[in-house]
Amino acid sequence: MIIHHTIEDFRAWRSGLESKTSVGFTPTMGALHEGHLSHIRSLYGHVDQIVASVYVNPSQFSPGEDFEKYPRDLEGDARKLQNAGCNVLFYPNDSEMYPSGFSTAVSVQGVTDRYEGFFRPAYFQGVATIVCKLLNVVDPDVMTLGQKDAQQVAVIQRMMIDLNLRSRIQVIETVREEDGLAMSSRNVYLSPGDRREALTIHHALLTAKVSIAEGRSIHDVTEIMRGIISSKFKIDYCDIVNPATFSTHVSPNGPLLAIFAGTIGSTRLIDNIVLR
Ligand code: PAF
């Protein structure tokens, strides 16, 4: 696997590819686990070149969030990516992505108003800006994004339509531990006790799926979910929304997504499940 640290080096590699070479891309912030690697594996055999980026993007962290202590492990990440079949790792530093004088931001309206957009004010503008920049550098045919960050998928999808970005998004299912906890780079912060309580999230989401299939109302199912989540969580939200708009205005037989975010100990976890 080749590692490029600069945009110039990456572009020199990219422009050396034959024009019909297809490129798949997985953007990450590193601290890679099976969830990330499932993105690389989903591209394997379907594109000619697989590119991953590892960049802990400062602009998507709000003050007081875990930017400083966000786990970083270039050596481990590079080994895992190579073993999963990645061809090229783009690993820029801050001055490469945000050089002095940087003054631009991509701001997506509407779909960012609530949920993660409300609780993490800097988040989506930071994500949209860095993903737009990465797409401009990597120029992939397909980019993978995880279903676990469902609102991020909706925001980036909206940005790509609005800015006429050419890549296609491939959404990758959430990878879970055997007991159902959604994999996350932040799970390492959980104490054993909090980790056990965290299993109530998946239980609540699965129950929501069954309850909707049984014909229960959105209001009742939301209450059922909230009743299952461990009281040790400080819940930011636990709702049922339209997955494209992240609004609670849903059409009678339209798509539904159950979403959860909450903090246990000092760890904030999010998860979701497609209800229909
Ligand atoms: O989902 C993530 O890991 C990040 O938000 C992303 C898409 C790599 C942008 O920094």
Side-chain angles (χ1 to χ4, degrees):
M1 185 178 71
I2 312 167
I3 303 182
H4 290 303
H5 293 274
T6 66
I7 294 169
E8 192 183 350
D9 285 353
F10 183 90
R11 284 198 162 138
W13 170 81
R14 180 76 178 86
S15 62
L17 298 176
E18 281 181 25
S19 63
K20 58 180 190 299
T21 305
S22 58
V23 173
F25 174 48
T26 298
T28 81
M29 297 208 301
L32 302 181
H33 51 65
E34 269 310 303
H36 300 105
L37 301 177
S38 72
H39 290 224
I40 304 292
R41 294 198 188 100
S42 79
L43 293 170
Y44 196 82
H46 296 281
V47 291
D48 299 317
Q49 293 289 325
I50 301 176
V51 175
S53 62
V54 170
Y55 179 60
V56 185
N57 173 36
S59 74
Q60 70 190 73
F61 289 79
S62 299
E65 286 189 340
D66 57 348
F67 174 66
E68 304 297 342
K69 72 165 187 166
Y70 197 84
R72 291 163 171 88
D73 174 19
L74 171 59
E75 226 176 86
D77 287 346
R79 193 177 53 246
K80 289 174 192 166
L81 287 169
Q82 172 150 10
N83 291 341
C86 182
N87 302 104
V88 176
L89 168 59
F90 180 52
Y91 187 86
N93 64 19
D94 288 343
S95 58
E96 191 65 15
M97 296 315 281
Y98 297 104
S100 130
F102 187 90
S103 315
T104 299
V106 178
S107 171
V108 179
Q109 310 294 306
V111 63
T112 58
D113 286 349
R114 283 145 51 99
Y115 305 115
E116 291 306 292
F118 177 79
F119 286 97
R120 304 179 68 192
Y123 182 58
F124 285 125
Q125 184 164 303
V127 165
T129 304
I130 197 69
V131 171
C132 188
K133 282 172 68 70
L134 289 167
L135 286 170
N136 281 330
V137 173
V138 177
D139 188 24
D141 298 283
V142 53
M143 172 173 70
T144 64
L145 291 173
Q147 172 65 28
K148 178 158 169 294
D149 294 302
Q151 194 173 4
Q152 172 170 276
V153 173
V155 170
I156 294 176
Q157 188 84 69
R158 187 70 254 167
M159 172 190 80
M160 292 177 73
I161 293 168
D162 292 350
L163 298 185
N164 309 99
L165 300 177
R166 77 168 188 99
S167 313
R168 178 172 67 78
I169 293 181
Q170 185 169 305
V171 180
I172 308 295
E173 241 180 75
T174 303
V175 178
R176 297 178 183 281
E177 305 286 357
E178 258 175 41
D179 56 14
L181 182 68
M183 286 194 184
S184 161
S185 306
R186 292 186 168 104
N187 289 351
V188 295
Y189 304 147
L190 290 169
S191 71
D194 288 348
R195 196 191 174 294
R196 267 193 304 279
E197 300 294 322
L199 298 181
T200 56
I201 304 171
H202 189 48
H203 180 202
L205 294 173
L206 286 176
T207 306
K209 181 146 188 145
V210 172
S211 306
I212 288 286
E214 286 170 353
R216 295 209 185 208
S217 73
I218 289 179
H219 175 266
D220 287 356
V221 176
T222 307
E223 289 307 308
I224 291 170
M225 282 200 295
R226 290 180 184 167
I228 293 174
I229 301 284
S230 163
S231 58
K232 287 198 158 177
F233 271 99
K234 184 183 160 294
I235 297 180
D236 285 346
Y237 53 81
C238 182
D239 256 338
I240 293 177
V241 296
N242 174 329
T245 59
F246 272 72
S247 153
T248 48
H249 297 290
V250 296
S251 42
N253 292 310
L256 293 180
L257 185 76
I259 56 172
F260 167 85
T263 300
I264 189 159
S266 58
T267 309
R268 187 169 184 275
L269 298 176
I270 68 167
D271 203 350
N272 66 79
I273 198 167
V274 175
L275 298 177
R276 64 169 193 237

